[in-house]
Amino acid sequence: MSDITSSAFIREDLVAERPAPVKTTGFIGLVRTRLFNSPTNILLTIVGALLLWFTIIPSVRFLVVDAVWSGKDRTACLAENTGSAVGACWPYIQAKLPQLIYGFYPEAERWRVDLTLVLAVVLLLPLLIPRLPAKGFNAGLFFFAFPVVAFFLLHGGGLGGFGLSWTAGLLQLFDDSIIGAGQAVLSLSKSSPIGPLLWVVGNLILLVGTAIYWLIYPLTWLRDQLQGTGQSVWTDFAITAVVVTLIAFFLGGGVRAGWRALASSIAAFVAVAIIIKLMGLDHGGLPIVQTNLWGGLLVTLVVSVTGIVTSLPIGIALALGRRSTIPLIRIFSIAFIEFWRGVPLITVLFFATYMLPLFLPGNFTVDGLVRALIGISLFTGAYQAENVRGGLAAIPRGQGEAAAALGLSWWKMTSLIVLPQALRHVIPNLVNSFISLFKDTSLVSIVALFDLLGSLRASFSDPKWSTPSTAFTGFAFAGIIYFMFCFGMSRYSLFVEHRLNAHRRN
Amino acid sequence: MSTEARKPPAQIALKIRRVLGGKTGWNGIAVQFAFAAILGWIAYEIVSNARANLENQHIAAGFGFLRNNAGFDVNQTLISYTGSDTFLRVFVVGLLNTLIVSVVGIVFATAIGFIVALCRLSPNWLLSRIGELYVEIIRNLPLLFQILFWYLAVLAALPNPRQSISLLGISFVSNRGLVVPRPIGESGFEAFLAVFVFGIVASLALRFYARRALFERGQMIRIWPYVLGLLFGLPLLTMLVFGPPFSFELPQLKGFNFAGGSRIIPEFVALALALSTYTAAFIAEIVRAGILSVHSGQMEAGASLGLSRGTTLRLIVVPQAMRVIVPPLTNQYLNLTKNSSLAVAIGYPDLVSVFAGTSLSQTGQAIEIIAMTMGVYLLISLITSAVMSIYGWRISRSLGA
């Protein structure tokens, strides 16, 4: 034992302790390595600190320290009355808050707006949390049932009929247009060099129109009979329910396998009946609030949610059309997408406001809000199409080929195999599009709709609250609201992206 | 005794089916016919309704209105314009105003964007946080909000011309806009211009020659002293010989406003400011992603070849980063140009504001005017995407070679 310790190559005393290495973690380490490690960096740090000093401090002073928190009118927010520098004039926001949120929505009816918002949140939250089940059912509720309920809640009004009346009306409109075209061709044939040919074509079109008229005659006759009775909505509803359920039953597989389709169809119609009964849609519904009374955050949210809900199906259809091998459909999709992507949204809104009414029949007026919604849906749809196309391109060909080998039709292959994977790939891009849509809704204030920004701008002109700090206060308030929505969405998109790429991390 | 291989049958019918109907064949052709019928029906409805509506409103369709007198004034014109000029001239005035604000916005957005990107990539923790803060705040607020903020809050809070803020005594900032000295051409102007253009052309030719010499003979030619002389020395010499090319007319306060000098209207300032700061946030993200996309091994490889850090950056990293940066950057330039149409909210006389706004409400020619306005933007974006595809093609060719 002892001769091992006395060996020449073994140290006899301990090495002296070396000083601890310079700390590179924690706050001190951060300061040392990332802020003051070289002369240039010290200079940059000082510049950055000065920059913050001259932006953060005045902002905080304006928003909190120097702010006026209570008062009745502009006198509370004037420097000569407070005796010191005046920051934000918060009583102005308090006074204008209802206008900034509801616009001129009647005070007695505002619970409807609140209820709609609560419904939206209750439906949206389970969609956004990935762990919760029943995404398909939930998405169906949010994308199909919620818009209809929200319309009757916000706008009010009731039903005049149901599926049967609508189908009959639509077919009649189509038939009228065909007969009109036939008559136009006939009148053209009198003054044209190829008159006889046009005469034949016109009469052929008229013949088709008349045939359709007699084909749909039972339907229109039934509708006219229903309108006469007192319970037209419920009778119409019952007929529609029976017809649709039977169709679902037989398409679903008849006596062999159609029971599931039958059950879900009945459940859906029962739910619709409950909603109709609850909201009293069969006898007029809630009092109507015209959309020119809507305003503030309500319009911003209505426009953005409608844009989100309608742009996605448009985008999916256009993306599938652009990848289709059928020439006409592909060319149409490409032209449509590139057209809307090539023009600014504001010209689209001008188009929807001034040009669209010219394209509709003279007796047919479209509400200003609906016009803007149409423009925004088409515009965002084109952008979503490019997002969805990116997702479709990311799906390996083998997926589609495997589905074809299993004997699935094109529709089943697309809806069951390709689209679910493609859409999941592009959720972050879709959410980013929603963010820009939400920001772009502020443009509707240019075509005389009072969204949050429009209401804010309108409130500046109120002489009761005109002070030097009014404009800054208003922009601070609206800015915080916009920032919360957009920042929240962008964080959510990052979260989803992180989750989707979980398998790529190591 | 060899037999000729039999040619495959012509399959003309199959080929036609393929061209007309795609993979789905006759079904595809049937779908197309149905689709064409629906499109035709919609088009017919639109045309007949539009004709009936225009007749009811007594509006004559067509572009004849472009030759009528406009009868309204525009508060910023790059070409001479009075109220008695035609609507066609209004169109040109608006288009030029759109282009000038876009160009100014693009220049500033690029500069700010690159600075913010460098801040975000900086090893300095505080600076990178400030860059991040800038990007997050600007990107999450609507552009229209920012335009109105600059116009209604910041610029409106500036003092009136009498108490205006003086910048070195030659420019003045007030709530009526920015007044700067106006250059006026003097006798030596033509000679100066000619020499200046000659200097630029000669420098470009010199650079071309030097690069050829480098690539073909491996000969390094140092050209920067000559270029410096051509670009600065020669014009200075002309100035000494022919006298100064232009003098400046200084703005002076007369009564309640400024006389002399050029006035930049506050609408222009607000719009250019908002457009450039907004787009800069997006450009910063693009530049950052582009620089991060170059693998760090490239930098190390450059160093192991004995290149200095600056040379590595210039010859290896930046060219590769540019390949990633340029396409989305062009897209942002296009977005900025399209976003300049928000000018209508604050009354800057751009194309949408004077043509699709004022002219439309005066003439009621909605279809023609909106089609022309959309056509201009569509043309700009089509040209840009054409240029970008040529660029992409050249890049892919250079990578393939």
Side-chain angles (χ1 to χ4, degrees), chain A residues 34 41 45 177 325 328 341 346 358-360 439 457 491, chain B residues 23 32 41 45 49 53 123-125 136 139 278 338 341 345:
Chain A
R34 307 269 318 260
N41 241 353
T45 306
S177 168
T325 54
L328 188 64
R341 278 163 50 91
I346 189 70
L358 288 178
F359 291 163
L360 295 170
K439 290 192 289 178
R457 202 175 173 179
R491 287 295 115 159
Chain B
K23 262 186 204 162
Q32 283 185 79
W41 179 58
E45 278 289 301
N49 285 334
N53 284 327
N124 188 305
W125 181 83
E136 286 297 344
R139 277 208 311 185
Y278 182 77
K338 286 194 279 177
S341 59

PDB file of all heavy atoms in Angstrom, chain A residues 34 41 45 177 325 328 341 346 358-360 439 457 491, chain B residues 23 32 41 45 49 53 123-125 136 139 278 338 341 345:
ATOM      1  N   ARG A  34     -23.556  39.449 -23.202  1.00  0.00           N
ATOM      2  CA  ARG A  34     -24.361  39.943 -24.315  1.00  0.00           C
ATOM      3  C   ARG A  34     -24.525  41.461 -24.296  1.00  0.00           C
ATOM      4  O   ARG A  34     -25.132  42.017 -25.199  1.00  0.00           O
ATOM      5  CB  ARG A  34     -25.759  39.310 -24.292  1.00  0.00           C
ATOM      6  CG  ARG A  34     -25.760  37.798 -24.241  1.00  0.00           C
ATOM      7  CD  ARG A  34     -25.776  37.152 -25.586  1.00  0.00           C
ATOM      8  NE  ARG A  34     -26.653  37.759 -26.565  1.00  0.00           N
ATOM      9  CZ  ARG A  34     -27.842  37.299 -26.879  1.00  0.00           C
ATOM     10  NH1 ARG A  34     -28.312  36.250 -26.277  1.00  0.00           N
ATOM     11  NH2 ARG A  34     -28.550  37.888 -27.812  1.00  0.00           N
ATOM     12  N   ASN A  41     -20.024  46.878 -28.241  1.00  0.00           N
ATOM     13  CA  ASN A  41     -21.254  46.421 -27.614  1.00  0.00           C
ATOM     14  C   ASN A  41     -21.683  47.359 -26.499  1.00  0.00           C
ATOM     15  O   ASN A  41     -22.872  47.604 -26.315  1.00  0.00           O
ATOM     16  CB  ASN A  41     -21.047  45.010 -27.068  1.00  0.00           C
ATOM     17  CG  ASN A  41     -21.997  44.043 -27.723  1.00  0.00           C
ATOM     18  OD1 ASN A  41     -22.880  44.466 -28.466  1.00  0.00           O
ATOM     19  ND2 ASN A  41     -21.820  42.776 -27.466  1.00  0.00           N
ATOM     20  N   THR A  45     -25.203  49.146 -26.411  1.00  0.00           N
ATOM     21  CA  THR A  45     -26.091  49.019 -25.256  1.00  0.00           C
ATOM     22  C   THR A  45     -26.552  50.392 -24.788  1.00  0.00           C
ATOM     23  O   THR A  45     -27.737  50.597 -24.476  1.00  0.00           O
ATOM     24  CB  THR A  45     -25.359  48.302 -24.112  1.00  0.00           C
ATOM     25  OG1 THR A  45     -24.857  47.074 -24.601  1.00  0.00           O
ATOM     26  CG2 THR A  45     -26.276  48.058 -22.952  1.00  0.00           C
ATOM     27  N   SER A 177     -84.852  33.765 -65.671  1.00  0.00           N
ATOM     28  CA  SER A 177     -83.670  34.258 -66.376  1.00  0.00           C
ATOM     29  C   SER A 177     -83.555  33.591 -67.748  1.00  0.00           C
ATOM     30  O   SER A 177     -83.248  34.253 -68.740  1.00  0.00           O
ATOM     31  CB  SER A 177     -82.435  33.978 -65.548  1.00  0.00           C
ATOM     32  OG  SER A 177     -81.301  34.199 -66.304  1.00  0.00           O
ATOM     33  N   THR A 325     -57.027  18.791 -63.438  1.00  0.00           N
ATOM     34  CA  THR A 325     -56.479  18.604 -64.788  1.00  0.00           C
ATOM     35  C   THR A 325     -57.462  19.061 -65.851  1.00  0.00           C
ATOM     36  O   THR A 325     -57.129  19.070 -67.031  1.00  0.00           O
ATOM     37  CB  THR A 325     -56.141  17.126 -65.038  1.00  0.00           C
ATOM     38  OG1 THR A 325     -57.316  16.357 -64.773  1.00  0.00           O
ATOM     39  CG2 THR A 325     -55.006  16.677 -64.159  1.00  0.00           C
ATOM     40  N   LEU A 328     -60.549  24.047 -68.410  1.00  0.00           N
ATOM     41  CA  LEU A 328     -61.346  25.258 -68.185  1.00  0.00           C
ATOM     42  C   LEU A 328     -61.373  25.633 -66.708  1.00  0.00           C
ATOM     43  O   LEU A 328     -61.228  26.798 -66.339  1.00  0.00           O
ATOM     44  CB  LEU A 328     -62.767  25.047 -68.717  1.00  0.00           C
ATOM     45  CG  LEU A 328     -63.622  26.299 -68.702  1.00  0.00           C
ATOM     46  CD1 LEU A 328     -63.037  27.329 -69.643  1.00  0.00           C
ATOM     47  CD2 LEU A 328     -65.044  25.979 -69.090  1.00  0.00           C
ATOM     48  N   ARG A 341     -55.598  38.650 -56.112  1.00  0.00           N
ATOM     49  CA  ARG A 341     -54.336  38.886 -55.406  1.00  0.00           C
ATOM     50  C   ARG A 341     -53.578  40.070 -55.979  1.00  0.00           C
ATOM     51  O   ARG A 341     -52.689  40.608 -55.337  1.00  0.00           O
ATOM     52  CB  ARG A 341     -53.458  37.633 -55.456  1.00  0.00           C
ATOM     53  CG  ARG A 341     -53.833  36.614 -54.399  1.00  0.00           C
ATOM     54  CD  ARG A 341     -53.249  35.274 -54.718  1.00  0.00           C
ATOM     55  NE  ARG A 341     -51.832  35.355 -55.021  1.00  0.00           N
ATOM     56  CZ  ARG A 341     -50.884  35.222 -54.113  1.00  0.00           C
ATOM     57  NH1 ARG A 341     -51.193  34.993 -52.875  1.00  0.00           N
ATOM     58  NH2 ARG A 341     -49.626  35.304 -54.454  1.00  0.00           N
ATOM     59  N   ILE A 346     -58.721  47.873 -51.113  1.00  0.00           N
ATOM     60  CA  ILE A 346     -59.595  49.041 -51.123  1.00  0.00           C
ATOM     61  C   ILE A 346     -60.323  49.152 -52.461  1.00  0.00           C
ATOM     62  O   ILE A 346     -61.505  49.496 -52.513  1.00  0.00           O
ATOM     63  CB  ILE A 346     -58.794  50.314 -50.789  1.00  0.00           C
ATOM     64  CG1 ILE A 346     -59.728  51.484 -50.581  1.00  0.00           C
ATOM     65  CG2 ILE A 346     -57.787  50.662 -51.828  1.00  0.00           C
ATOM     66  CD1 ILE A 346     -60.518  51.359 -49.349  1.00  0.00           C
ATOM     67  N   LEU A 358     -74.713  47.553 -59.637  1.00  0.00           N
ATOM     68  CA  LEU A 358     -75.059  47.673 -61.051  1.00  0.00           C
ATOM     69  C   LEU A 358     -75.265  46.313 -61.691  1.00  0.00           C
ATOM     70  O   LEU A 358     -75.976  46.176 -62.680  1.00  0.00           O
ATOM     71  CB  LEU A 358     -73.942  48.411 -61.800  1.00  0.00           C
ATOM     72  CG  LEU A 358     -73.805  49.896 -61.538  1.00  0.00           C
ATOM     73  CD1 LEU A 358     -72.629  50.457 -62.309  1.00  0.00           C
ATOM     74  CD2 LEU A 358     -75.073  50.622 -61.949  1.00  0.00           C
ATOM     75  N   PHE A 359     -74.616  45.283 -61.127  1.00  0.00           N
ATOM     76  CA  PHE A 359     -74.682  43.952 -61.729  1.00  0.00           C
ATOM     77  C   PHE A 359     -75.911  43.177 -61.272  1.00  0.00           C
ATOM     78  O   PHE A 359     -76.183  42.101 -61.783  1.00  0.00           O
ATOM     79  CB  PHE A 359     -73.441  43.134 -61.362  1.00  0.00           C
ATOM     80  CG  PHE A 359     -72.189  43.638 -62.008  1.00  0.00           C
ATOM     81  CD1 PHE A 359     -70.945  43.258 -61.547  1.00  0.00           C
ATOM     82  CD2 PHE A 359     -72.261  44.488 -63.101  1.00  0.00           C
ATOM     83  CE1 PHE A 359     -69.796  43.735 -62.151  1.00  0.00           C
ATOM     84  CE2 PHE A 359     -71.122  44.965 -63.713  1.00  0.00           C
ATOM     85  CZ  PHE A 359     -69.890  44.585 -63.233  1.00  0.00           C
ATOM     86  N   LEU A 360     -76.628  43.688 -60.285  1.00  0.00           N
ATOM     87  CA  LEU A 360     -77.778  42.953 -59.755  1.00  0.00           C
ATOM     88  C   LEU A 360     -79.049  43.528 -60.356  1.00  0.00           C
ATOM     89  O   LEU A 360     -79.056  44.679 -60.817  1.00  0.00           O
ATOM     90  CB  LEU A 360     -77.805  43.072 -58.232  1.00  0.00           C
ATOM     91  CG  LEU A 360     -76.615  42.406 -57.550  1.00  0.00           C
ATOM     92  CD1 LEU A 360     -76.571  42.765 -56.089  1.00  0.00           C
ATOM     93  CD2 LEU A 360     -76.682  40.906 -57.730  1.00  0.00           C
ATOM     94  N   LYS A 439     -56.716  42.644 -39.549  1.00  0.00           N
ATOM     95  CA  LYS A 439     -56.197  44.002 -39.680  1.00  0.00           C
ATOM     96  C   LYS A 439     -56.872  44.721 -40.847  1.00  0.00           C
ATOM     97  O   LYS A 439     -57.143  45.917 -40.769  1.00  0.00           O
ATOM     98  CB  LYS A 439     -54.680  43.955 -39.894  1.00  0.00           C
ATOM     99  CG  LYS A 439     -53.920  43.518 -38.667  1.00  0.00           C
ATOM    100  CD  LYS A 439     -52.441  43.770 -38.814  1.00  0.00           C
ATOM    101  CE  LYS A 439     -51.837  42.827 -39.810  1.00  0.00           C
ATOM    102  NZ  LYS A 439     -50.400  43.074 -40.001  1.00  0.00           N
ATOM    103  N   ARG A 457     -62.675  57.306 -35.190  1.00  0.00           N
ATOM    104  CA  ARG A 457     -62.463  58.519 -35.957  1.00  0.00           C
ATOM    105  C   ARG A 457     -63.684  59.438 -35.831  1.00  0.00           C
ATOM    106  O   ARG A 457     -63.546  60.656 -35.723  1.00  0.00           O
ATOM    107  CB  ARG A 457     -62.216  58.157 -37.415  1.00  0.00           C
ATOM    108  CG  ARG A 457     -61.499  59.242 -38.143  1.00  0.00           C
ATOM    109  CD  ARG A 457     -61.143  58.852 -39.544  1.00  0.00           C
ATOM    110  NE  ARG A 457     -60.611  60.013 -40.228  1.00  0.00           N
ATOM    111  CZ  ARG A 457     -60.177  60.015 -41.467  1.00  0.00           C
ATOM    112  NH1 ARG A 457     -60.212  58.907 -42.162  1.00  0.00           N
ATOM    113  NH2 ARG A 457     -59.714  61.110 -42.008  1.00  0.00           N
ATOM    114  N   ARG A 491     -49.437  34.302 -31.637  1.00  0.00           N
ATOM    115  CA  ARG A 491     -48.871  33.354 -30.672  1.00  0.00           C
ATOM    116  C   ARG A 491     -49.516  31.985 -30.860  1.00  0.00           C
ATOM    117  O   ARG A 491     -48.858  30.958 -30.772  1.00  0.00           O
ATOM    118  CB  ARG A 491     -49.114  33.827 -29.233  1.00  0.00           C
ATOM    119  CG  ARG A 491     -48.280  34.994 -28.805  1.00  0.00           C
ATOM    120  CD  ARG A 491     -46.838  34.646 -28.767  1.00  0.00           C
ATOM    121  NE  ARG A 491     -46.161  35.450 -29.777  1.00  0.00           N
ATOM    122  CZ  ARG A 491     -44.879  35.717 -29.792  1.00  0.00           C
ATOM    123  NH1 ARG A 491     -44.099  35.210 -28.877  1.00  0.00           N
ATOM    124  NH2 ARG A 491     -44.356  36.459 -30.735  1.00  0.00           N
TER     125      ARG A 491
ATOM    126  N   LYS B  23     -57.345  14.519 -67.177  1.00  0.00           N
ATOM    127  CA  LYS B  23     -57.275  13.105 -66.827  1.00  0.00           C
ATOM    128  C   LYS B  23     -58.644  12.448 -66.828  1.00  0.00           C
ATOM    129  O   LYS B  23     -58.763  11.237 -66.984  1.00  0.00           O
ATOM    130  CB  LYS B  23     -56.669  12.970 -65.430  1.00  0.00           C
ATOM    131  CG  LYS B  23     -55.188  12.659 -65.440  1.00  0.00           C
ATOM    132  CD  LYS B  23     -54.771  12.401 -64.022  1.00  0.00           C
ATOM    133  CE  LYS B  23     -53.279  12.664 -63.854  1.00  0.00           C
ATOM    134  NZ  LYS B  23     -52.914  12.836 -62.463  1.00  0.00           N
ATOM    135  N   GLN B  32     -66.860  20.608 -67.970  1.00  0.00           N
ATOM    136  CA  GLN B  32     -66.508  21.913 -68.518  1.00  0.00           C
ATOM    137  C   GLN B  32     -67.695  22.566 -69.197  1.00  0.00           C
ATOM    138  O   GLN B  32     -67.887  23.778 -69.091  1.00  0.00           O
ATOM    139  CB  GLN B  32     -65.387  21.762 -69.534  1.00  0.00           C
ATOM    140  CG  GLN B  32     -64.057  21.556 -68.888  1.00  0.00           C
ATOM    141  CD  GLN B  32     -62.979  21.528 -69.929  1.00  0.00           C
ATOM    142  OE1 GLN B  32     -62.569  22.553 -70.403  1.00  0.00           O
ATOM    143  NE2 GLN B  32     -62.547  20.336 -70.286  1.00  0.00           N
ATOM    144  N   TRP B  41     -74.199  32.020 -68.148  1.00  0.00           N
ATOM    145  CA  TRP B  41     -75.450  32.520 -67.587  1.00  0.00           C
ATOM    146  C   TRP B  41     -75.183  33.709 -66.666  1.00  0.00           C
ATOM    147  O   TRP B  41     -75.852  34.749 -66.757  1.00  0.00           O
ATOM    148  CB  TRP B  41     -76.161  31.389 -66.828  1.00  0.00           C
ATOM    149  CG  TRP B  41     -77.431  31.829 -66.200  1.00  0.00           C
ATOM    150  CD1 TRP B  41     -78.516  32.376 -66.839  1.00  0.00           C
ATOM    151  CD2 TRP B  41     -77.748  31.802 -64.807  1.00  0.00           C
ATOM    152  NE1 TRP B  41     -79.490  32.683 -65.934  1.00  0.00           N
ATOM    153  CE2 TRP B  41     -79.052  32.342 -64.675  1.00  0.00           C
ATOM    154  CE3 TRP B  41     -77.070  31.367 -63.675  1.00  0.00           C
ATOM    155  CZ2 TRP B  41     -79.675  32.438 -63.441  1.00  0.00           C
ATOM    156  CZ3 TRP B  41     -77.694  31.470 -62.457  1.00  0.00           C
ATOM    157  CH2 TRP B  41     -78.983  32.006 -62.354  1.00  0.00           C
ATOM    158  N   GLU B  45     -76.421  37.544 -67.129  1.00  0.00           N
ATOM    159  CA  GLU B  45     -77.190  38.267 -66.108  1.00  0.00           C
ATOM    160  C   GLU B  45     -76.520  39.595 -65.772  1.00  0.00           C
ATOM    161  O   GLU B  45     -77.168  40.635 -65.709  1.00  0.00           O
ATOM    162  CB  GLU B  45     -77.283  37.410 -64.836  1.00  0.00           C
ATOM    163  CG  GLU B  45     -78.360  36.362 -64.886  1.00  0.00           C
ATOM    164  CD  GLU B  45     -79.751  36.977 -64.803  1.00  0.00           C
ATOM    165  OE1 GLU B  45     -80.010  37.659 -63.803  1.00  0.00           O
ATOM    166  OE2 GLU B  45     -80.551  36.799 -65.740  1.00  0.00           O
ATOM    167  N   ASN B  49     -78.249  43.117 -66.585  1.00  0.00           N
ATOM    168  CA  ASN B  49     -78.598  43.961 -65.438  1.00  0.00           C
ATOM    169  C   ASN B  49     -77.881  45.294 -65.497  1.00  0.00           C
ATOM    170  O   ASN B  49     -78.479  46.344 -65.242  1.00  0.00           O
ATOM    171  CB  ASN B  49     -78.237  43.260 -64.133  1.00  0.00           C
ATOM    172  CG  ASN B  49     -79.211  42.160 -63.804  1.00  0.00           C
ATOM    173  OD1 ASN B  49     -80.362  42.219 -64.229  1.00  0.00           O
ATOM    174  ND2 ASN B  49     -78.745  41.162 -63.092  1.00  0.00           N
ATOM    175  N   ASN B  53     -79.626  48.900 -65.567  1.00  0.00           N
ATOM    176  CA  ASN B  53     -79.395  49.852 -64.477  1.00  0.00           C
ATOM    177  C   ASN B  53     -78.814  51.162 -64.984  1.00  0.00           C
ATOM    178  O   ASN B  53     -79.199  52.237 -64.541  1.00  0.00           O
ATOM    179  CB  ASN B  53     -78.458  49.245 -63.436  1.00  0.00           C
ATOM    180  CG  ASN B  53     -79.162  48.227 -62.575  1.00  0.00           C
ATOM    181  OD1 ASN B  53     -80.352  48.369 -62.299  1.00  0.00           O
ATOM    182  ND2 ASN B  53     -78.455  47.197 -62.185  1.00  0.00           N
ATOM    183  N   PRO B 123     -25.472  40.541 -31.710  1.00  0.00           N
ATOM    184  CA  PRO B 123     -25.186  39.776 -30.491  1.00  0.00           C
ATOM    185  C   PRO B 123     -25.576  40.548 -29.231  1.00  0.00           C
ATOM    186  O   PRO B 123     -25.673  39.963 -28.160  1.00  0.00           O
ATOM    187  CB  PRO B 123     -23.673  39.548 -30.561  1.00  0.00           C
ATOM    188  CG  PRO B 123     -23.165  40.573 -31.504  1.00  0.00           C
ATOM    189  CD  PRO B 123     -24.256  40.853 -32.469  1.00  0.00           C
ATOM    190  N   ASN B 124     -25.792  41.859 -29.388  1.00  0.00           N
ATOM    191  CA  ASN B 124     -26.183  42.664 -28.229  1.00  0.00           C
ATOM    192  C   ASN B 124     -27.620  42.347 -27.842  1.00  0.00           C
ATOM    193  O   ASN B 124     -28.542  42.513 -28.641  1.00  0.00           O
ATOM    194  CB  ASN B 124     -26.034  44.140 -28.581  1.00  0.00           C
ATOM    195  CG  ASN B 124     -26.228  45.033 -27.385  1.00  0.00           C
ATOM    196  OD1 ASN B 124     -27.250  44.956 -26.728  1.00  0.00           O
ATOM    197  ND2 ASN B 124     -25.253  45.859 -27.100  1.00  0.00           N
ATOM    198  N   TRP B 125     -27.816  41.906 -26.616  1.00  0.00           N
ATOM    199  CA  TRP B 125     -29.131  41.426 -26.170  1.00  0.00           C
ATOM    200  C   TRP B 125     -30.168  42.540 -26.224  1.00  0.00           C
ATOM    201  O   TRP B 125     -31.269  42.357 -26.758  1.00  0.00           O
ATOM    202  CB  TRP B 125     -29.003  40.894 -24.739  1.00  0.00           C
ATOM    203  CG  TRP B 125     -30.272  40.349 -24.183  1.00  0.00           C
ATOM    204  CD1 TRP B 125     -30.769  39.102 -24.396  1.00  0.00           C
ATOM    205  CD2 TRP B 125     -31.200  41.027 -23.343  1.00  0.00           C
ATOM    206  NE1 TRP B 125     -31.948  38.952 -23.740  1.00  0.00           N
ATOM    207  CE2 TRP B 125     -32.253  40.119 -23.079  1.00  0.00           C
ATOM    208  CE3 TRP B 125     -31.249  42.304 -22.785  1.00  0.00           C
ATOM    209  CZ2 TRP B 125     -33.327  40.449 -22.276  1.00  0.00           C
ATOM    210  CZ3 TRP B 125     -32.329  42.625 -21.991  1.00  0.00           C
ATOM    211  CH2 TRP B 125     -33.353  41.707 -21.747  1.00  0.00           C
ATOM    212  N   GLU B 136     -42.827  43.304 -33.495  1.00  0.00           N
ATOM    213  CA  GLU B 136     -44.086  42.789 -32.938  1.00  0.00           C
ATOM    214  C   GLU B 136     -45.153  43.883 -32.882  1.00  0.00           C
ATOM    215  O   GLU B 136     -46.307  43.655 -33.241  1.00  0.00           O
ATOM    216  CB  GLU B 136     -43.860  42.213 -31.538  1.00  0.00           C
ATOM    217  CG  GLU B 136     -43.152  40.869 -31.522  1.00  0.00           C
ATOM    218  CD  GLU B 136     -43.954  39.780 -32.222  1.00  0.00           C
ATOM    219  OE1 GLU B 136     -45.155  39.975 -32.450  1.00  0.00           O
ATOM    220  OE2 GLU B 136     -43.357  38.743 -32.551  1.00  0.00           O
ATOM    221  N   ARG B 139     -46.183  45.013 -36.596  1.00  0.00           N
ATOM    222  CA  ARG B 139     -46.877  44.005 -37.404  1.00  0.00           C
ATOM    223  C   ARG B 139     -48.280  43.713 -36.885  1.00  0.00           C
ATOM    224  O   ARG B 139     -49.131  43.250 -37.640  1.00  0.00           O
ATOM    225  CB  ARG B 139     -46.081  42.699 -37.406  1.00  0.00           C
ATOM    226  CG  ARG B 139     -44.990  42.691 -38.405  1.00  0.00           C
ATOM    227  CD  ARG B 139     -44.697  41.304 -38.845  1.00  0.00           C
ATOM    228  NE  ARG B 139     -44.541  40.383 -37.720  1.00  0.00           N
ATOM    229  CZ  ARG B 139     -44.192  39.135 -37.881  1.00  0.00           C
ATOM    230  NH1 ARG B 139     -43.954  38.676 -39.076  1.00  0.00           N
ATOM    231  NH2 ARG B 139     -44.071  38.340 -36.851  1.00  0.00           N
ATOM    232  N   TYR B 278     -44.285  50.454 -41.559  1.00  0.00           N
ATOM    233  CA  TYR B 278     -45.062  49.208 -41.540  1.00  0.00           C
ATOM    234  C   TYR B 278     -44.360  48.137 -42.368  1.00  0.00           C
ATOM    235  O   TYR B 278     -44.132  47.017 -41.900  1.00  0.00           O
ATOM    236  CB  TYR B 278     -46.454  49.491 -42.087  1.00  0.00           C
ATOM    237  CG  TYR B 278     -47.406  48.317 -42.095  1.00  0.00           C
ATOM    238  CD1 TYR B 278     -48.020  47.898 -40.936  1.00  0.00           C
ATOM    239  CD2 TYR B 278     -47.700  47.645 -43.270  1.00  0.00           C
ATOM    240  CE1 TYR B 278     -48.906  46.843 -40.941  1.00  0.00           C
ATOM    241  CE2 TYR B 278     -48.587  46.590 -43.279  1.00  0.00           C
ATOM    242  CZ  TYR B 278     -49.188  46.193 -42.113  1.00  0.00           C
ATOM    243  OH  TYR B 278     -50.050  45.146 -42.118  1.00  0.00           O
ATOM    244  N   LYS B 338     -49.510  48.485 -53.355  1.00  0.00           N
ATOM    245  CA  LYS B 338     -50.961  48.300 -53.258  1.00  0.00           C
ATOM    246  C   LYS B 338     -51.515  49.005 -52.021  1.00  0.00           C
ATOM    247  O   LYS B 338     -52.589  49.597 -52.059  1.00  0.00           O
ATOM    248  CB  LYS B 338     -51.292  46.803 -53.210  1.00  0.00           C
ATOM    249  CG  LYS B 338     -51.123  46.139 -54.553  1.00  0.00           C
ATOM    250  CD  LYS B 338     -51.772  44.784 -54.578  1.00  0.00           C
ATOM    251  CE  LYS B 338     -50.896  43.753 -53.953  1.00  0.00           C
ATOM    252  NZ  LYS B 338     -51.532  42.436 -53.901  1.00  0.00           N
ATOM    253  N   SER B 341     -52.775  52.673 -51.687  1.00  0.00           N
ATOM    254  CA  SER B 341     -54.148  53.063 -52.016  1.00  0.00           C
ATOM    255  C   SER B 341     -54.929  53.473 -50.774  1.00  0.00           C
ATOM    256  O   SER B 341     -55.997  54.073 -50.893  1.00  0.00           O
ATOM    257  CB  SER B 341     -54.859  51.907 -52.710  1.00  0.00           C
ATOM    258  OG  SER B 341     -54.880  50.782 -51.885  1.00  0.00           O
ATOM    259  N   ALA B 345     -57.983  57.345 -47.327  1.00  0.00           N
ATOM    260  CA  ALA B 345     -58.529  57.601 -45.986  1.00  0.00           C
ATOM    261  C   ALA B 345     -58.113  58.963 -45.443  1.00  0.00           C
ATOM    262  O   ALA B 345     -58.815  59.533 -44.611  1.00  0.00           O
ATOM    263  CB  ALA B 345     -58.077  56.503 -45.021  1.00  0.00           C
TER     264      ALA B 345
END
